[in-house]
């Protein structure tokens, strides 16, 4: 039975702390514990890798300032989908929503669940694919009830994850360094700032930082978003950026580069080096369990995009249904099916490379939307990102530089993302044609003008 949220008791909303926990939980996840080995293979230079993580943190923080401005004026859940629909055109917004559903959350949930399975397999000796399947199913069920339950679980898991990272940082610095080799295995020249290697390695880092915009997807569920959304986005991104750089420094200090190269279980290698094999194995299990925090956050946030698209496009109307607590249950399980399908059809590395190009492209378009917002609506009051336009220009310069090198060096993975866009475009025009046949007017014409002072 379809239940309209407007006819029920006003749904519960969360404060900036829970919203920041969503940001932290979305950011601190698969990438920080799995991607370092790929960066080591590309750069083989500790200084370059630390610079890489610093640039990634700067990029996330700059993006958070821009999204805070967009989210406080375009106050509707859905993130890039709503921003691009309003500022550019509903077609571009639709493509962004399509990519968010199929790649931004669908593939990220699959990657996180696969990482959990990989970390847990040596300990419980179960098929990692089975572990990934069960994890997605259980958390989808948990988030199908109410926001308060989601908030409590999210906050608890996020606190445990941050404490684990702090422990690894402190131990990495307190214990004698195990990695006694030189801080670079190759001369400095190959990691020059203009190099293709640095730009491609930045893709892995940006994936690790992805999630800095998570609170923007649930802005309608945040109390006083004008005040709390900027706090959540900027505060969450800043905290995670510092933790990331310190954690990678700890890993690089404790594990020789040649051992980390192309390894996924970097957290396990570091813990084993610092505490010995037995405790290292337990850390592997703990990391796997805390990856459930990221998985939980994405299972919670992602379906809001599907729900927003359903309000605007008649070919998605099946997902307009919400339960009595305002939870888009059908959208949650649709997202789960996408993630389960990706687990069955791709490897970890294939999914990560496939995601990188197209997600960065839409983040770039969204940040550029701040210029359009200020041009179209110069008298808007409320939160405005500082020192405009320099923060946005720096983000765009870094992003475009990375996209160009990625397209040159990884054309297959980049073009696969473009092919997914083509599929999304077909569904848009099919839905538009269906609306002309069966419905006199779509909701897009109404929804895209929702600008708040």
């Amino acid at each position: 039975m379809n239940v309209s949220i407007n006819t029920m008791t006003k749904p519960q909303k969360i404060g900036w702390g829970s919203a920041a926990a969503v940001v932290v939980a979305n950011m601190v996840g698969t990438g920080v514990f799995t991607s370092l080995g790929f960066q080591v293979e590309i750069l083989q230079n500790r200084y370059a890798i630390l610079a890489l993580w610093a640039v990634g943190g700067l990029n996330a923080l700059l993006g958070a300032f821009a999204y805070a401005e967009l989210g406080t004026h375009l106050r509707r859940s859905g993130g890039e989908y709503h921003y691009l629909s309003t500022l550019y055109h509903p077609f571009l917004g639709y493509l962004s929503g399509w990519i968010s559903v199929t790649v931004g959350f669908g593939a990220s949930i699959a990657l996180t669940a696969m990482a959990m399975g990989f970390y847990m397999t040596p300990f419980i000796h179960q098929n990692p694919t089975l572990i990934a399947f069960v994890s997605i199913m259980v958390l989808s069920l948990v988030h199908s009830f109410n926001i308060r339950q989601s908030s409590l679980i999210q906050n608890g898991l996020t606190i445990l994850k941050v404490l684990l990272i702090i422990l690894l940082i402190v131990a990495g610095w307190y214990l004698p360094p195990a990695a006694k080799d030189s801080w670079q295995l190759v001369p400095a020249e190959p990691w020059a700032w203009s190099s293709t290697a640095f730009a491609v390695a930045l893709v892995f880092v940006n994936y690790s930082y992805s999630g800095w915009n998570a609170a923007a997807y649930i802005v309608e569920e945040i109390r006083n978003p004008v005040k709390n959304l900027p706090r959540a986005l900027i505060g969450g991104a800043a905290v995670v950026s510092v933790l990331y750089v310190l954690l990678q420094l700890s890993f690089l200090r404790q594990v020789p580069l040649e051992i980390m190269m192309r390894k996924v279980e970097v957290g396990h290698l570091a813990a084993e080096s610092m505490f010995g094999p037995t405790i290292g194995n337990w850390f592997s299990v703990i990391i796997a369990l805390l990856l459930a925090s990221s998985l939980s956050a994405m299972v919670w946030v992602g379906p809001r995009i599907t729900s927003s698209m359903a309000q605007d496009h008649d070919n998605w109307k099946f997902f307009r249904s919400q339960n009595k607590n305002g939870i888009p249950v059908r959208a949650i399980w649709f997202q789960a099916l996408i993630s389960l399908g990706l687990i069955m059809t791709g490897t970890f590395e294939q999914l990560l490379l496939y995601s990188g190009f197209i997600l960065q492209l839409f983040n770039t378009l969204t940040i550029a939307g701040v210029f359009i917002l200020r041009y179209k609506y110069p008298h808007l009051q409320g939160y405005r990102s500082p020192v405009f336009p320099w923060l946005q220009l720096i983000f765009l310069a870094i992003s475009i530089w990375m996209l160009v090198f990625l397209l040159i060096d990884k054309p297959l993975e980049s073009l696969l993302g473009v092919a997914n866009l083509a599929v999304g475009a077909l569904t848009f025009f099919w839905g538009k044609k269906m609306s002309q046949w069966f419905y006199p007017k779509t909701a897009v014409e109404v929804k895209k003008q929702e600008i708040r002072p």
Side-chain angles (χ1 to χ4, degrees):
M1 175 180 177
N2 292 356
V3 180
S4 172
I5 191 171
N6 295 323
T7 63
M8 303 302 295
T9 303
K10 187 175 181 180
Q12 297 171 330
K13 294 194 176 185
I14 61 175
W16 77 269
S18 292
V22 172
V23 173
V24 173
N26 270 270
M27 292 180 71
V28 183
T30 310
V32 72
F33 293 114
T34 60
S35 68
L36 185 58
F38 298 105
Q39 299 155 36
V40 168
E41 181 188 23
I42 295 171
L43 296 176
Q44 300 181 23
N45 184 301
R46 287 184 172 90
Y47 299 110
I49 293 170
L50 287 177
L52 200 70
W53 284 89
V55 171
L58 173 65
N59 216 32
L61 191 58
L62 295 176
F65 278 106
Y67 270 66
E69 178 169 344
L70 293 171
T72 55
H73 295 303
L74 308 176
R75 219 172 301 160
R76 181 183 175 214
S77 295
E80 293 93 351
Y81 165 69
H82 180 50
Y83 304 156
L84 297 181
S85 294
T86 303
L87 297 174
Y88 292 91
H89 190 275
F91 174 64
L92 192 57
Y94 180 93
L95 290 181
S96 172
W98 173 265
I99 291 300
S100 293
V101 171
T102 58
V103 179
F105 286 96
S108 294
I109 288 171
L111 284 166
T112 303
M114 292 167 75
M116 286 178 60
F118 188 86
Y119 267 98
M120 291 187 71
T121 297
F123 188 80
I124 63 174
H125 306 294
Q126 292 293 328
N127 187 306
T129 301
L130 177 62
I131 296 171
F133 263 68
V134 172
S135 300
I136 292 173
M137 297 290 286
V138 169
L139 285 171
S140 296
L141 182 63
V142 166
H143 287 292
S144 294
F145 291 99
N146 60 64
I147 294 173
R148 177 172 175 78
Q149 182 174 355
S150 297
S151 177
L152 290 174
I153 291 174
Q154 198 60 64
N155 290 352
L157 290 174
T158 300
I159 290 171
L160 290 175
K161 185 191 299 184
V162 171
L163 289 175
L164 174 66
I165 289 176
I166 292 173
L167 174 61
L168 290 173
I169 291 171
V170 172
W173 277 94
Y174 178 77
L175 297 173
K180 300 183 183 300
D181 56 311
S182 170
W183 268 60
Q184 61 184 55
L185 298 181
V186 294
E189 182 181 355
W191 66 275
W193 298 103
S194 61
S195 71
T196 301
F198 195 93
V200 173
L202 188 58
V203 175
F204 292 98
V205 171
N206 275 356
Y207 173 76
S208 301
Y209 277 103
S210 64
W212 51 262
N213 54 357
Y217 291 97
I218 56 170
V219 65
E220 291 180 282
E221 298 173 42
I222 299 174
R223 292 191 303 269
N224 190 8
V226 174
K227 180 180 179 181
N228 289 330
L229 182 63
R231 284 182 175 182
L233 288 172
I234 298 168
V239 168
V240 173
S241 297
V242 173
L243 289 176
Y244 267 17
V245 173
L246 293 177
L247 182 62
Q248 301 311 309
L249 184 57
S250 178
F251 286 168
L252 291 169
R253 192 170 184 264
Q254 292 295 333
V255 186
L257 295 182
E258 63 271 14
I259 293 179
M260 282 193 290
M261 199 174 296
R262 286 198 63 81
K263 296 292 178 59
V264 174
E265 68 281 17
V266 177
H268 170 71
L269 295 175
E272 189 176 52
S273 175
M274 289 186 280
F275 306 114
T278 301
I279 297 179
N281 286 337
W282 280 106
F283 263 87
S284 182
V285 176
I286 293 171
I287 291 172
L289 293 176
L290 293 182
L291 283 173
S293 174
S294 295
L295 188 60
S296 173
M298 288 184 286
V299 169
W300 178 9
V301 172
R304 273 60 182 177
I305 302 170
T306 304
S307 182
S308 291
M309 293 180 70
Q311 300 302 319
D312 296 344
H313 299 278
D314 294 318
N315 56 322
W316 291 72
K317 65 177 296 184
F318 177 78
F319 301 107
R320 291 175 186 171
S321 175
Q322 297 179 339
N323 69 8
K324 64 181 180 179
N325 294 307
I327 306 300
V329 177
R330 291 180 181 177
I332 288 175
W333 288 100
F334 175 64
Q335 177 181 258
L337 289 175
I338 292 175
S339 301
L340 295 175
L342 290 172
I343 288 174
M344 296 297 295
T345 57
T347 66
F348 184 90
E349 188 174 1
Q350 286 172 338
L351 287 178
L352 196 152
L353 291 173
Y354 161 72
S355 303
F357 178 85
I358 202 67
L359 291 177
Q360 191 63 32
L361 175 62
F362 276 92
N363 280 338
T364 302
L365 291 171
T366 305
I367 300 301
V370 176
F371 293 91
I372 300 174
L373 179 71
R374 294 210 180 191
Y375 175 76
K376 286 185 174 181
Y377 309 98
H379 302 299
L380 285 176
Q381 302 298 314
Y383 179 81
R384 298 169 81 91
S385 57
V387 293
F388 178 84
W390 298 108
L391 300 185
Q392 289 74 28
L393 289 175
I394 294 171
F395 181 98
L396 293 175
I398 294 173
S399 185
I400 292 171
W401 168 76
M402 187 185 72
L403 287 171
V404 170
F405 277 110
L406 182 60
L407 185 61
I408 294 171
D409 192 66
K410 303 290 183 182
L412 177 59
E413 291 81 359
S414 302
L415 292 176
L416 281 174
V418 175
N420 190 21
L421 276 182
V423 175
L426 289 176
T427 66
F428 175 84
F429 290 112
W430 167 70
K432 188 175 181 181
K433 182 65 68 175
M434 188 182 76
S435 294
Q436 292 173 351
W437 288 341
F438 298 105
Y439 305 96
K441 184 178 181 180
T442 65
V444 175
E445 299 170 327
V446 178
K447 294 287 186 182
K448 71 176 183 177
Q449 295 300 325
E450 292 182 358
I451 310 291
R452 306 257 184 123

